[in-house]
Amino acid sequence: MRADLAVEAAAIHVDRSALSVLLSLHTADRPLRIGEIAARMQVVGPHVTRQVNELERRGLVVRVTDPDDQRARLIEATPDSAKATERYIGAIIDWLADALADDITTRLTALDDEPPTASSG
């Protein structure tokens, strides 16, 4: 449920697998080969290829030439998808911060409500 809200906040409408591809590219901070993305996601290459094809069709990733091997292609996030991924991560971090703050407040309130013990007084 929270992940869906984060996707809405990011204003990027992709499924979870496609989002995982974008997150893999984001955390790598460089273009990756399909096999590298698959390894990061712990899935098989054809699964990533399908996701990349759809993301490319939607203009969210591009294929670029690998400077180390002109025959190979790397997958790179577009600036728009990189910004959307940042918004998604920001929404998740905000949710976690709120959840932790609520938990800490609840715990401190519970401590204040406890009667003093003989050793505290």
Side-chain angles (χ1 to χ4, degrees), residues 8 10 14-15 24 34-35 38 59 72-73 77 82 91 118:
E8 285 180 31
V14 297
D15 64 25
S24 294
I34 294 282
R73 297 289 177 257

Side-chain angles (χ1 to χ4, degrees), residues 7-93:
V7 169
E8 285 180 31
I12 188 167
H13 304 287
V14 297
D15 64 25
R16 288 185 182 159
S17 294
L19 184 58
S20 292
V21 170
L22 295 176
L23 289 167
S24 294
L25 291 169
H26 183 79
T27 57
D29 203 28
R30 64 179 174 82
L32 298 172
R33 289 184 179 205
I34 294 282
E36 292 175 296
I37 297 169
R40 287 169 180 257
M41 292 175 59
Q42 299 180 351
V43 298
V44 295
H47 173 73
V48 174
T49 299
R50 283 190 299 275
Q51 295 302 322
V52 166
N53 288 342
E54 178 60 21
L55 289 168
E56 184 177 37
R57 187 187 68 73
R58 295 180 61 190
L60 297 171
V61 300
V62 293
R63 294 175 196 263
V64 297
T65 303
D66 185 337
D68 297 328
D69 181 354
Q70 298 297 308
R71 299 167 297 164
R73 297 289 177 257
L74 301 173
I75 309 305
E76 181 175 56
T78 63
D80 286 343
S81 70
K83 289 176 191 171
T85 304
E86 279 289 327
R87 288 191 303 270
Y88 174 81
I89 292 168
I92 295 292
I93 290 170

